[in-house]
Amino acid sequence: MSDLKYIRVEWDGEIAVVTVDRQDKLNALNADVVREIGEIFASLRDDDAVRGVIVTGAGEKAFVAGADISELARMDSVSAVRISRDGQRVFRDIERFPKPVLAAVGGYALGGGCELALACHLRIASGSARFGLPEVGLGIIPGYGGTIRLARLIGLGRAIELTLTGDMVDAERALEMGLVSAVVERERLMDEAKTLLRKVTKNGPVAVRMALESIYRGLDTATAEALDFESALFGLLASTDDMKEGMKAFLEKRRPDFKGR
Ligand code: COA
């Protein structure tokens, strides 16, 4: 991994907090930021010490205020496709990340920033958060998966309205829409993010991973095939030490000690 200029990683036990830190541009995603996000997730993926990841933005004003418009302004058709594919690949790797990823959104999550949050498995926001896909106002469309993931998350009608108007919604509206699962005070954002993520990471890591796999596979395949896949994963989990431990701990009225095996 090259030296990271725009990404900071801090640890709190088994949780890695990944902060996009380009505050003078409201953490906007230029090509280097996108590449660094990809690099950091690749390095965290196979690290057994990591049970979950929080993604956030540095500073008070923004989570991520979008793709870097000064870069986008220079693109032609060929480089535009490359920019979109590069971002999609990195965000898809986040969506497919084998451990839970939570976006802690304080401030603006616009364009690529909103798409970054959408690629995460969980999202919470502070009261100052603002979400939106303003791309059509710039003569483009969301290119990092936003036209696909937003509709899946909040439904077609609302996704079309947000995408075509480019309107921003505040945190409370985002909560009503199901775009985030909680709104908390700004100073509590990181603590609440960790509390929610720990509710996940205390569970069997292999089970959590397979639940995510089954949920996302279910979105992309016909029901019969998706159900087959769910059963196969259910069967596979029955061979894990974690399943034995989880059930034994329940019967013994104690907390399970999962090893991720
Ligand atoms: N790309 C590049 N630079 C960006 C950016 C982006 N997406 N968003 C903000 N910035 C830069 C601004 O150009 C400014 O840089 P400067 O100080 O060198 O001029 C700096 O970040 C601060 O932003 P500013 O616009 O002065 O802050 P604000 O509080 O007045 O407005 C926003 C905040 C988020 C409403 C406004 O910055 C904005 O509309 N940004 C673009 C959002 C967008 O369209 N994103 C989707 C891109 S596809």
Side-chain angles (χ1 to χ4, degrees):
M1 190 170 56
S2 56
D3 281 347
L4 300 179
K5 187 170 168 205
Y6 298 115
I7 304 293
R8 282 190 278 119
V9 186
E10 280 132 359
W11 294 88
D12 188 347
E14 299 162 331
I15 292 177
V17 179
V18 171
T19 303
V20 180
D21 190 351
R22 192 183 174 222
Q23 288 185 56
D24 58 329
K25 299 293 177 189
L26 303 187
N27 306 324
L29 304 172
N30 64 19
D32 287 338
V33 181
V34 171
R35 180 180 46 72
E36 289 187 10
I37 294 173
E39 286 182 12
I40 199 66
F41 271 90
S43 80
L44 296 173
R45 186 176 46 226
D46 300 321
D47 185 339
D48 285 341
V50 181
R51 285 262 180 110
V53 179
I54 293 171
V55 181
T56 196
E60 294 302 310
K61 273 187 84 172
F63 173 71
V64 167
D68 189 318
I69 298 171
S70 61
E71 273 189 5
L72 298 184
R74 295 194 300 268
M75 66 192 178
D76 59 21
S77 291
V78 173
S79 58
V81 172
R82 194 183 61 238
I83 288 169
S84 172
R85 298 306 291 186
D86 286 349
Q88 284 181 351
R89 197 175 314 112
V90 168
F91 286 14
R92 179 76 167 145
D93 285 349
I94 294 174
E95 186 173 66
R96 302 291 312 269
F97 198 68
K99 308 162 205 199
V101 183
L102 182 151
V105 179
Y108 294 110
L110 303 175
C114 186
E115 293 173 290
L116 174 59
L118 289 170
C120 297
H121 307 132
L122 298 154
R123 283 154 296 280
I124 68 167
S126 71
S128 59
R130 299 286 179 275
F131 294 84
L133 294 174
E135 283 88 344
V136 290
L138 296 163
I140 55 173
I141 63 170
Y144 292 168
T147 61
I148 292 94
R149 293 193 179 102
L150 187 63
R152 286 178 171 178
L153 187 66
I154 66 170
L156 189 60
R158 287 167 161 175
I160 288 178
E161 185 184 335
L162 273 189
T163 308
L164 298 195
T165 62
D167 280 353
M168 279 187 227
V169 292
D170 65 16
E172 289 302 331
R173 182 82 183 113
L175 181 65
E176 283 167 20
M177 288 177 157
L179 190 42
V180 296
S181 50
V183 178
V184 301
E185 287 176 15
R186 183 66 179 92
E187 49 283 9
R188 299 272 319 139
L189 181 62
M190 203 42 66
D191 285 347
E192 297 287 346
K194 288 174 183 171
T195 300
L196 176 56
L197 196 54
R198 287 209 171 93
K199 281 190 189 173
V200 181
T201 58
K202 74 173 175 25
N203 295 318
V206 187
V208 166
R209 190 177 85 221
M210 291 194 179
L212 285 171
E213 278 185 30
S214 191
I215 288 167
Y216 284 109
R217 178 73 74 96
L219 289 176
D220 287 337
T221 46
T223 304
E225 197 188 319
L227 290 171
D228 287 347
F229 188 66
E230 182 188 62
S231 294
L233 295 181
F234 194 77
L236 205 57
L237 284 163
S239 70
T240 62
D241 293 344
D242 281 357
M243 186 204 87
K244 294 182 187 72
E245 168 61 10
M247 302 215 177
K248 195 160 172 276
F250 177 81
L251 296 173
E252 292 171 359
K253 302 189 188 307
R254 62 172 173 81
R255 299 183 121 187
D257 178 18
F258 291 120
K259 302 287 189 216
R261 302 263 176 264

